[in-house]
Amino acid sequence: MRFLSKFYIDGFILSILAVVAVASVFPARGDAAEVVSWLTKIAIALLFLLYGTRLSPQEALAGLKHWRLHVTVLACTFVLFPLIGLAARVLVPHILTADLYTGLLFLCLVPSTVQSSIAFTSIAKGNVAGAIVSATVSNLLGVFLTPALVILLMNTTGQARVDPSAIVDIVLQLLVPFFLGQLIRPKVIGWLKRHAEPTKLVDRGSILLVVYSAFSAGMVEGIWHALSPWRILALAVVCMVMLALVLAATMLIGRGEHFDRADRIVVVFCGSKKSLATGLPMATVLFAGAPVGLIVLPLMMFHQIQLITCAALAQRWARTAP
């Protein structure tokens, strides 16, 4: 890694690109996909267990009380993004097809990611407690807000409904391990302070598993072959421009709100992300009978771009952390 850093090449970014390449050639199918899915869930649960052990109860309580931060993140997720999505309507039909635009608008309506937002905040030395609360609240509210926004702003062929299992998944996979970590914290915090590598390994490993799982799903679905190279390239450029706009906006909003460095990192990483894990199940329900593969393609592409871009940002901010 030190050798690569001399040439300004980040090893973590190379790892993500390598995982994408492996998933392109050897995507997880059938039973293997199920194993990868369970490994990803276990890694995320372990990650939140470690976060629970690292955060003192006082820090966790402070994260809950920081309402201005959470309102700012929610506004970026459910106000700023939808406005950008509505403005992108001008790209149809010359740049985006109608189905691709439907998918682009849909990605603007889904909640923020939880695992990667918090992992990048941790890597960048940001306010992890605030990120945990903001990202979790975004996902819990998104279970209700996303279908409501879809009904309000889009025409769907399926009947929008809320799946209670999404709330159960969030509680079991994220909140239960976190509170368990809080309980065992007095017994393990000393060891964790002496050994930072386990958290770092789980941080990055869980992100790599998410990347492999998501890209494998796209390869198995064959959605990358459903469009011409020109359309795929145009969609990638649109996703990159959208992410750049949101990253710039969240940085400006964080400064405008006079947040400190740690909180500005939370606004950027939690406010600029979109959850593939939440968006894919919702799309199958909300767009029943429609070409779901094409509709979720913008979300899948944006998800990959945001991981690579935010990984670079997190590593850069980690190096400049006081």
Side-chain angles (χ1 to χ4, degrees), residues 84-122:
I84 293 175
L86 291 172
R89 182 70 177 81
V90 299
L91 302 177
V92 181
H94 302 295
I95 297 177
L96 299 178
T97 65
D99 287 334
L100 287 180
Y101 173 70
T102 298
L104 189 74
L105 182 55
F106 175 68
L107 91 81
C108 292
L109 307 182
V110 302
S112 175
T113 62
V114 177
Q115 173 262 344
S116 60
S117 295
I118 298 168
F120 287 138
T121 300
S122 174

Side-chain angles (χ1 to χ4, degrees), residues 8-259:
Y8 304 100
I9 300 174
D10 186 82
F12 186 39
I13 304 300
L14 288 181
S15 298
I16 292 178
L17 295 176
V19 168
V20 170
V22 171
S24 301
V25 181
F26 304 107
R29 304 173 184 270
D31 292 339
E34 188 70 18
V35 170
V36 170
S37 175
W38 275 105
L39 287 175
T40 304
K41 291 177 181 179
I42 292 170
I44 293 173
L46 179 58
L47 181 66
F48 276 79
L49 177 72
L50 290 173
Y51 285 144
T53 59
R54 287 176 55 193
L55 286 173
S56 69
Q58 293 78 13
E59 289 175 319
L61 184 60
L64 285 171
K65 290 181 177 179
H66 201 348
W67 63 269
R68 283 180 59 241
L69 176 64
H70 310 318
V71 170
T72 301
V73 170
L74 289 173
C76 293
T77 303
F78 294 113
V79 178
L80 175 61
F81 258 109
L83 290 176
I84 293 175
L86 291 172
R89 182 70 177 81
V90 299
L91 302 177
V92 181
H94 302 295
I95 297 177
L96 299 178
T97 65
D99 287 334
L100 287 180
Y101 173 70
T102 298
L104 189 74
L105 182 55
F106 175 68
L107 91 81
C108 292
L109 307 182
V110 302
S112 175
T113 62
V114 177
Q115 173 262 344
S116 60
S117 295
I118 298 168
F120 287 138
T121 300
S122 174
I123 292 169
K125 315 298 184 188
N127 181 359
V128 176
I132 289 174
V133 176
S134 285
T136 304
V137 168
S138 174
N139 259 256
L140 288 172
L141 291 180
V143 173
F144 304 96
L145 284 178
T146 296
L149 287 171
V150 168
I151 293 171
L152 180 65
L153 301 177
M154 306 171 68
N155 293 319
T156 62
T157 56
Q159 181 181 3
R161 66 179 186 270
V162 175
D163 186 356
S165 66
I167 299 176
V168 175
D169 287 344
I170 291 172
V171 172
L172 292 180
Q173 196 174 352
L174 308 180
L175 298 183
V176 170
F178 177 79
F179 286 118
L180 180 60
Q182 289 277 287
L183 290 175
I184 66 173
R185 183 178 189 274
K187 298 183 180 297
V188 300
I189 186 61
W191 186 87
L192 285 175
K193 285 183 177 180
R194 294 191 301 270
H195 304 85
E197 287 303 314
T199 304
K200 183 177 179 181
L201 178 63
V202 177
D203 268 344
R204 287 155 176 76
S206 59
I207 291 172
L208 295 178
L209 278 170
V210 169
V211 171
Y212 179 75
S213 178
F215 208 88
S216 290
M219 295 300 296
V220 173
E221 289 280 336
I223 58 177
W224 302 104
H225 305 293
L227 295 168
S228 67
W230 144 247
R231 290 291 188 187
I232 294 176
L233 177 61
L235 177 61
V237 172
V238 170
C239 288
M240 286 188 282
V241 170
M242 177 182 290
L243 180 60
L245 288 173
V246 175
L247 286 173
T250 50
M251 290 178 187
L252 290 174
I253 291 170
R255 292 192 183 99
E257 291 284 340
H258 302 293
F259 290 135

